[in-house]
Amino acid sequence: MVSKNQLIAYNRKLHEQLEEHEIPHVYEEFNGAHEWTYWSEHIKDTLRFFASHS
């Protein structure tokens, strides 16, 4: 199982690699854990993001 610290570290590393290769992307971090309380606050914006980039 991947720990919360590993998950954020993987995300940050991917962001760094995309930046190094000048690959356009959106990267944001918000306070909170990868749990339903977090997602219930951010799900609408997340779905809007994917809908506008599909």
Side-chain angles (χ1 to χ4, degrees):
M1 177 177 242
V2 176
S3 74
K4 293 175 188 176
N5 289 338
Q6 286 174 312
L7 184 59
I8 194 66
Y10 293 150
N11 287 336
R12 289 173 178 165
K13 181 65 177 174
L14 175 60
H15 168 63
E16 180 182 303
Q17 291 170 333
L18 293 170
E19 290 277 306
E20 288 172 0
H21 294 281
E22 299 180 4
I23 297 172
H25 65 287
V26 175
Y27 180 79
E28 297 178 319
E29 286 186 24
F30 300 97
N31 291 328
H34 201 80
E35 300 170 338
W36 282 115
T37 53
Y38 171 88
W39 278 106
S40 66
E41 184 176 335
H42 294 276
I43 191 69
K44 289 180 185 177
D45 291 333
T46 300
L47 292 174
R48 282 188 203 110
F49 171 83
F50 284 112
S52 69
H53 290 85
S54 58

